[in-house]
Every structure is written in structure tokens, then in C-alpha cells.
Amino acid sequence: MPPPVRRRDRGPRGPPEAPAQILSGRAFLRGKLQPIEVAISEDGWILALGKHLTGAPRHDLGEAVILPAATDLHVHFREPGGPSGLENIATGTVQAALGGVALVGEMPNTQPPVTDVASLEEKAARVRGRAAVDVLLYALPRAAPGLPALAARAGAFKLFLSPTTGVPEPPDGSEVPALLQRLAGLGLPVSVHAEDATHFDSSRPPLDPVGWNAHRPPASEEAAIGRLLPPPVPLRLHVAHVTRPESVTRLRAAGVSFEATPHHLLLNDRSGRDAYTKVNPPLRTEADRQGLWEAFARGEVPVLASDHAPHLPSDKERPFDRAPSGVPGVETMLPLMLARVRASGLSLSTLLEAACDRPARWFGQPHGRIAPGHRAHLLVVDFRQRTTVTAARLHAPCGWTPFEGHEAIFPREVYFRGERVVAGGEFEGETRGEVVRPEFAPGPTDASPG
Ligand code: DOR
Ligand code: ZN
């Protein structure tokens, strides 16, 4: 059962609200594409759906499809402290909007990291007035005494079980059960980077992505997931970027939420030979990629998330073992998958659940569906408008993408709180994104596979 959606308070007996605009097109409702009109209020909520609505200016989208905007649970916008010219909250949220994402979960491994109320407030101040979409801020759970105060202000926690960018020293494995127990009592979602460094293999220096997969092998993911299961009740546990079908089976059986990224779904350890495809956890073999893709296409992966983690070309071009891990992806996440829908390798309903509905509910936000009482974060998609991804046409300041040459379908228009912010492939809106926190707590199975 979906959680109740908290509509904005219109007073118990107020008159029905007049729409400010009506979008007329087609939408995927009750399992099929059908003509629909969507009435939107002045302040950006979906008021009603119908076949012929009246009472406001109508924007006729013809044969185009109206979709809910996506939520990306996992981005790294590098602010504060990122290298200059790489990324920041303003540039990252514009890429999100252009890629059809209305809410991002911004990770805390910045400089300084978000570990206390002061660093969280300082990051929230950077969002206000500069973000093109809404931002939920993760915090790193470090000092035990400060955790409740941090939980009262953060949107979620992120726990790294292994070293990665900006996280040189993860907590000792023996401390993890007590930490999870403490987090379980705080009510916020907890995302875990699940690699167990005691299973890393340093017998040979990693020289390419195949070597990186051998260095941080599948066994380290398996062991880390093993440490998390069964999670203490009522922990709202979510495992980030799983890479293999075995992890899908195990987490589904445990009823735990998890995500897969476009890079683990579409690329393998031979897709590139240099550090531009170096990520944590590593790209796996083609057999693993294919198994993960098939599980995703069967609807067994609850959430799609980008793990957008750009790095400067000058850093990616260092010798492989010293180059940083991470790839950009927030702008291409949904467009790559819409192209898969068009190519018939993925059903639209499976994609919408994984990219829009479940992640919005995981963050306790009333959007991700085209339904009255939900925010009007909406996309207009023309499935005939296929393009090829090239870094030159994207908006990432890092200037590269691991998906060069892949087919994509970008939204033709994007509406954020009812206001059109993207048209003709460019961001034309105002920066009205806000810091959001969970507005309602979904039950434990809401983001687990259904
Ligand atoms: O590849 C990655 N890059 N994995 C992570 O866990 C962190 C991220 C980053 O921040 O660069
Ligand atoms: Zn990440």
C-alpha cells in the first residue's frame, strides 16, 4: 500500500480550487497510454485529471506523453570544497532539471564533509536561491552524541563501509552494528555504500577497469551486504549502487531497498580502458551487467539512481591506480532509460516505478505520480525524438560522459512545481528549488521490491 500523501492544507471546507493551467496530452495511467488533461494549481499541485477539463488556459501537447519527473537518490555536487570548475549545486541541479529529475539526494562526502549541524546548515544555505530543483541533504553519521540533532535537520544519512572519494577512513566493521542500531531509532532513511575493504585484493596493482573489478571484487559487495542483514528494526535501510544479480536476489529476499545505476546497468569492465570508467563499486563483467539489467527490466530493482560523481579530466588522466573513481550521470539517467523503453527493452511502468514513484516515496515526498494531491513536477516526452549522447551537448562542467554514443530521449519540456523550467533542451526557469526533508515516513516495504 502506498503511504498517504500529505496534500497541502487547503482547509477542511474550502471551495474547490480553480486550476491555473491545464496540460493536455497522453499519460501512462492504469497500465496504458491514454489521452489525459492535467489541471495544475497556481502553486504547483496537481488538482485533477480528466478527459476534458475547463477553467484555465490549456497547453496542448498533442501526441506527446506527460510523465512524472524523476527523483535521483544519489548525486555528488561537490559543494562545498570541490575543485573549481568541476561542479556545484547550481550546475548540478540544472543538469538534473534537463534530465527530468525534480529532486536530488546530495551526498555528504564534500570538503568539509557534512557531519554536524553547522556543516549541514552551511550546505543548506548554499541551496537556497541557487538550486534548479529540490535538494535533500544527506549527513555522515560520525560523532554519536550529535546524531539526534543532526537527524532533526538532515534529510537522510549516508554510511560508507569502505574508503572512497572524500572518505579516507570508514568506520571499523566492528562498530557498524551499533551504529545501525543507533540510526534505526532516528527515523531517517539510511543509504549504505556496501563494499567491505577487508575483501579488497592488493596482490596486483589495478591498471584498468578489469583490474579495478579484480581489486574491489564482487566478494567485497557480498560481504558488506552480509554485514547489513538482517537490518535492525525499524531501520529504513537502502543499499546504494548494487552491481550484481546475486545482490538483487539477496536484498529482495530481505525486503531491503536498494538502487542500481545506469553505469552498472549499461556498461561493463571492458567498456573503457582508462580511468574515465573507474567507479566505486567497479563496473563488473558483461555477465554481471547483463544479469543486473535483466533483473532491472523484470522490475526487481526498486530504485534507479545516478551516483552522479564527476571528476576533472586532469584527475581522471592520472595513472589508473591514482585516478579518482566516479562518473557524471544525473542529466543522462532518465533519457538513457527512456531510449530503452522506446527500443522495447524495458516497460515504461517498470521505469516509472524505479525512477519516479519509489524514490520519491523513499524520501517521503508527494510526487513521482500523476495524481491529484501530488506536486506538478512533470515531463513532456516525445518518444520519436531520439538523440545520441555526446559530452558537447550535455551541461556537465567536467566536459565528459561515460555514455558517449548511447541513444537517449531527453524530455522536451520539464515542469517544476507547475512552472515550465526546460524547453528546447535548455533550462529557462528560475532557481526555485528548496531543501526538503521527508514529509511522511513510508512503511518498511514501500521501497522494497513489489
Ligand atoms: O565512484 C564513486 N565516486 N563512488 C563513490 O562512492 C564516491 C564517488 C565520488 O564521490 O567520487
Ligand atoms: Zn556515490
Side-chain angles (χ1 to χ4, degrees):
M1 274 288 284
V5 166
R6 203 198 73 173
R7 299 173 192 202
R8 87 226 129 100
D9 189 3
R10 261 186 258 143
R13 273 170 235 260
E17 192 168 348
Q21 59 175 321
I22 294 167
L23 297 186
S24 171
R26 296 189 298 154
F28 191 75
L29 295 170
R30 288 180 291 282
K32 60 179 201 290
L33 268 182
Q34 45 185 300
I36 196 78
E37 302 204 330
V38 184
I40 300 173
S41 71
E42 182 70 40
D43 55 351
W45 293 79
I46 298 175
L47 292 174
L49 306 182
K51 294 286 181 213
H52 302 286
L53 299 177
T54 54
R58 127 197 281 95
H59 182 30
D60 191 351
L61 302 162
E63 288 293 287
V65 180
I66 306 169
L67 299 177
T71 290
D72 187 347
L73 297 188
H74 192 157
V75 302
H76 301 262
F77 287 163
R78 310 300 191 204
E79 189 177 348
S84 88
L86 173 60
E87 196 72 280
N88 58 47
I89 288 162
T91 58
T93 53
V94 164
Q95 290 163 71
L98 289 163
V101 172
L103 167 62
V104 294
E106 158 63 12
M107 288 295 169
N109 57 331
T110 41
Q111 300 298 334
V114 178
T115 54
D116 54 22
V117 170
S119 49
L120 186 88
E121 295 287 332
E122 130 82 356
K123 197 158 178 180
R126 290 166 177 270
V127 171
R128 291 187 199 109
R130 291 175 63 231
V133 301
D134 285 338
V135 179
L136 179 142
L137 296 174
Y138 284 87
L140 277 175
R142 284 230 180 115
L147 277 183
L150 195 51
R153 290 172 175 81
F157 284 108
K158 174 70 179 278
L159 183 57
F160 291 90
L161 297 184
S162 65
T164 191
T165 311
V167 187
E169 278 184 44
D172 187 86
S174 62
E175 299 165 18
V176 171
L179 187 53
L180 292 176
Q181 193 73 56
R182 269 203 302 278
L183 292 172
L186 298 174
L188 290 187
V190 178
S191 174
V192 180
H193 180 121
E195 287 184 283
D196 181 339
T198 63
H199 289 256
F200 290 179
D201 177 0
S202 297
S203 57
R204 267 177 299 168
L207 300 175
D208 56 22
V210 171
W212 195 239
N213 184 18
H215 172 61
R216 297 172 77 122
S220 57
E221 180 168 314
E222 204 181 308
I225 289 175
R227 278 178 184 277
L228 298 170
L229 301 182
V233 177
L235 183 68
R236 293 176 59 199
L237 175 65
H238 174 88
V239 177
H241 41 48
V242 307
T243 63
R244 304 175 71 236
E246 289 80 354
S247 304
V248 172
T249 307
R250 212 156 155 214
L251 290 166
R252 272 172 67 77
V256 167
S257 177
F258 59 99
E259 75 200 22
T261 67
H263 47 274
H264 291 111
L265 288 164
L266 301 177
L267 307 176
N268 65 34
D269 60 353
R270 293 177 192 271
S271 296
R273 301 189 56 193
D274 54 25
Y276 282 102
T277 51
K278 183 180 181 187
V279 285
N280 296 336
L283 298 179
R284 302 297 187 196
T285 62
E286 173 57 14
D288 279 340
R289 183 209 68 77
Q290 195 178 339
L292 186 67
W293 172 264
E294 285 168 4
F296 180 69
R298 286 194 299 269
E300 293 172 6
V301 174
V303 173
L304 177 73
S306 73
D307 194 5
H308 175 88
H311 291 278
L312 291 172
S314 53
D315 288 332
K316 281 294 202 181
E317 281 159 20
R318 300 209 297 252
F320 189 90
D321 59 335
R322 286 191 282 123
S325 291
V327 294
V330 70
E331 189 177 358
T332 47
M333 176 178 79
L334 193 67
L336 288 166
M337 295 298 155
L338 289 171
R340 296 293 161 139
V341 169
R342 150 92 205 210
S344 309
L346 180 65
S347 85
L348 184 56
S349 62
T350 297
L351 174 59
L352 296 181
E353 280 167 17
C356 311
D357 184 31
R358 288 201 198 95
R361 281 195 282 135
W362 185 249
F363 275 169
Q365 294 298 308
H367 57 85
R369 290 181 194 185
I370 302 182
H374 286 62
R375 287 203 181 95
H377 298 328
L378 299 170
L379 314 177
V380 177
V381 172
D382 181 343
F383 278 92
R384 294 165 306 188
Q385 277 184 0
R386 284 181 290 174
T387 53
T388 302
V389 173
T390 62
R393 281 204 234 152
L394 296 176
H395 298 73
C398 71
W400 59 277
T401 169
F403 300 109
E404 192 78 36
H406 284 238
E407 195 166 89
I409 297 174
F410 286 86
R412 194 172 89 187
E413 295 178 17
V414 176
Y415 288 76
F416 180 73
R417 297 207 194 114
E419 185 193 328
R420 193 169 70 176
V421 295
V422 171
E426 293 304 326
F427 182 76
E428 57 168 35
E430 286 170 32
T431 45
R432 297 203 299 143
E434 291 174 359
V435 176
V436 299
R437 303 185 65 242
E439 292 183 21
F440 52 82
T445 56
D446 279 317
S448 46

